[in-house]
Amino acid sequence: MEKRRYIWLMTILLWMSMTVVILASGSGETLRIGIREGRSSVAVVGTRDVGIYQGNALRKKVKANMPIQVTIRGNELTADGIKSIGPLSVRPLGKDGFVKITDGYMYRGYLEFIKTPVSAGLTVINVVPIEQYLYGVVGKEMSPSWSIEALKAQAVAARTYAVSHKNYFKNRGYDMADDTRNQVYGGMNAETPSIHQAVDGTSGEILTYKGKPIEAFFCASAGGWTEHSENVWGNAVGYLRGVSDRSFHMPSYSWSVTTTPERLAANLNAAGKGVGTVQSITLSPLAKRPMRTADRGVSGRVRTMIIRGTKGQATVTGNAFQSLFGLKSTLFDFYQGKGTPPNPDLGHSSRGMTMPIKAGQPLTIYGFGWGHGLGMSQYGAYQMAKENPGVREYYRQILLHYYTGTTLERLY
């Protein structure tokens, strides 16, 4: 998994070097967002009169609110009687018209239908200007009720992400998906006045590093400190450096999972890392950040730990252990018995480097943050904006804090 992520990140960085040139030249200002894939049929409707197009040729006009059934048979698409081997699209005939897919959201721009390149069925693509695309993203990635400066920071991060991911799913016929594979996109259903204000107030702005758009990762909560990229995905990126994170007032900041030594042993065995009866865990105690131990990242996120048992020992990565118990992040530690977890930022620890495990006693995994911990912490951005009310363009300070050494640039 980590190797695939490394190759993926290197590919993205190569794309970035081309994207600035494309946008600055005036092209590349629309995006193709995959919203359905591998369907045998879909139904769409226009809020105003729409046209069915074959390529760029108008083939048929359809009245507002009249359903249009789009189907595929073999390689041939059919939309309300119009047949085509190539793409078909449904487009508003007026500026105030929109298209709705009847089992989902309503969209700006238009909907295009193609044969799914990677499997049977048809794919539905929303072709939409990038700024209008952001109207449907920002409110899905961050609460529209939050401070406008936090929303502006999210808008710039989302725009930068979109710019750097142009053609990301080119082999599937679109640029990005509408789900967590990229950015969650809800079309017009995700729009609010505050989201419009945030997007319009940062129109065309992206983050660059050494003249290229960055990979603007963000997470829900970094748990007090973000992480160096090489400690998460194995590759050092200059703008993804660990920095302090003020998300400690947020509800998702801390969490805990209580298990047993027996369950830990069973989960390890199921993952092919059986050690018999668990006897000890060797891992540096989570302490005040930034940390400088080999087995943890700068934020305290677990890189590796050693679990010993009656049948041997296993080295387990933080990512692997997170998967074993469905943890919110790799920023975690352990304690056994009764009591409450220690606060790492107070510098106290309740255990040594190697923690003996007592059979029959509850084992608590306690942790902080939600997500990979790279780039901007959304709850941290919220708190920074809340603590600095009335500061004009404070979103810039939020972004430059979380993305080290970057520059805000306006592409258009």
Side-chain angles (χ1 to χ4, degrees):
M1 179 65 75
E2 291 182 359
K3 183 177 180 181
R4 289 200 298 270
R5 283 173 171 162
Y6 173 81
I7 295 171
W8 167 71
L9 185 54
M10 289 295 92
T11 304
I12 289 295
L13 291 174
L14 289 174
W15 287 339
M16 290 179 195
S17 65
M18 300 183 289
T19 308
V20 167
V21 175
I22 292 171
L23 283 178
S25 67
S27 61
E29 295 175 1
T30 61
L31 296 171
R32 297 171 58 82
I33 310 301
I35 61 174
R36 296 289 187 279
E37 196 168 23
R39 294 294 188 89
S40 60
S41 67
V42 294
V44 299
V45 64
T47 60
R48 298 285 189 272
D49 291 358
V50 295
I52 299 174
Y53 286 76
Q54 185 177 19
N56 287 318
L58 175 61
R59 294 292 308 278
K60 184 176 184 179
K61 294 181 180 180
V62 180
K63 291 293 185 181
N65 302 313
M66 294 297 293
I68 300 170
Q69 193 74 27
V70 184
T71 61
I72 188 167
R73 184 173 183 179
N75 292 330
E76 185 178 66
L77 292 163
T78 302
D80 207 36
I82 304 299
K83 299 181 182 295
S84 177
I85 295 298
L88 291 172
S89 59
V90 174
R91 310 184 187 188
L93 296 176
K95 292 183 179 180
D96 60 345
F98 309 104
V99 183
K100 178 180 180 180
I101 187 165
T102 57
D103 66 347
Y105 297 138
M106 184 162 64
Y107 296 94
R108 296 177 183 272
Y110 64 88
L111 298 184
E112 179 178 285
F113 310 90
I114 65 171
K115 180 189 178 300
T116 300
V118 295
S119 64
L122 63 87
T123 293
V124 186
I125 299 164
N126 180 206
V127 183
V128 61
I130 186 171
E131 296 298 309
Q132 294 180 15
Y133 162 73
L134 293 173
Y135 289 159
V137 168
V138 176
K140 281 290 190 178
E141 294 288 0
M142 185 175 279
S143 172
S145 66
W146 285 10
S147 161
I148 189 62
E149 296 304 312
L151 292 173
K152 284 182 178 179
Q154 182 68 60
V156 174
R159 184 182 294 108
T160 306
Y161 185 96
V163 166
S164 67
H165 282 72
K166 183 83 172 173
N167 292 323
Y168 183 72
F169 279 122
K170 184 178 180 180
N171 67 320
R172 304 175 90 98
Y174 49 85
D175 295 315
M176 289 180 291
D178 65 347
D179 55 29
T180 54
R181 287 174 292 173
N182 296 119
Q183 301 184 110
V184 180
Y185 171 58
M188 295 184 69
N189 299 60
E191 297 183 19
T192 68
S194 63
I195 299 304
H196 286 185
Q197 182 184 354
V199 173
D200 295 345
T202 61
S203 179
E205 286 188 337
I206 65 165
L207 287 159
T208 63
Y209 182 77
K210 296 183 178 180
K212 300 174 183 178
I214 72 167
E215 182 74 352
F217 289 116
F218 48 86
C219 62
S221 167
W225 208 275
T226 69
E227 189 53 77
H228 293 342
S229 61
E230 61 268 29
N231 294 332
V232 179
W233 290 337
N235 183 60
V237 178
Y239 52 82
L240 294 176
R241 302 290 85 198
V243 298
S244 61
D245 165 50
R246 297 190 61 78
S247 65
F248 45 81
H249 292 296
M250 301 300 107
S252 63
Y253 179 73
S254 62
W255 47 265
S256 65
V257 174
T258 300
T259 185
T260 64
E262 293 73 25
R263 172 53 57 190
L264 172 57
N267 285 8
L268 288 169
N269 190 59
K273 291 183 175 291
V275 297
T277 301
V278 176
Q279 296 175 318
S280 68
I281 297 172
T282 298
L283 174 68
S284 297
L286 183 58
K288 188 173 182 179
R289 281 75 62 82
M291 290 191 69
R292 293 176 176 84
T293 63
D295 56 357
R296 290 187 183 269
V298 66
S299 68
R301 283 171 171 77
V302 176
R303 300 180 68 187
T304 60
M305 60 183 173
I306 298 172
I307 302 177
R308 293 182 174 88
T310 55
K311 296 182 179 180
Q313 67 180 46
T315 298
V316 183
T317 67
N319 286 330
F321 195 86
Q322 179 183 12
S323 296
L324 286 180
F325 285 94
L327 307 179
K328 290 184 177 180
S329 76
T330 58
L331 180 49
F332 61 83
D333 206 344
F334 303 90
Y335 77 93
Q336 195 170 24
K338 298 180 180 180
T340 58
N343 184 339
D345 293 315
L346 294 179
H348 303 305
S349 176
S350 61
R351 65 176 185 83
M353 181 74 174
T354 295
M355 174 182 172
I357 300 299
K358 299 177 181 179
Q361 285 194 12
L363 176 66
T364 298
I365 309 162
Y366 68 95
F368 303 88
W370 192 348
H372 48 61
L374 292 181
M376 186 177 72
S377 164
Q378 292 168 312
Y379 276 122
Y382 169 89
Q383 187 64 27
M384 288 178 70
K386 183 179 180 180
E387 292 174 358
N388 294 273
V391 179
R392 292 191 63 226
E393 298 187 337
Y394 188 70
Y395 72 95
R396 293 172 175 264
Q397 296 185 46
I398 295 172
L399 292 166
L400 298 181
H401 171 73
Y402 282 110
Y403 301 107
T404 306
T406 57
T407 302
L408 272 162
E409 295 188 26
R410 189 178 296 276
L411 286 182
Y412 46 87

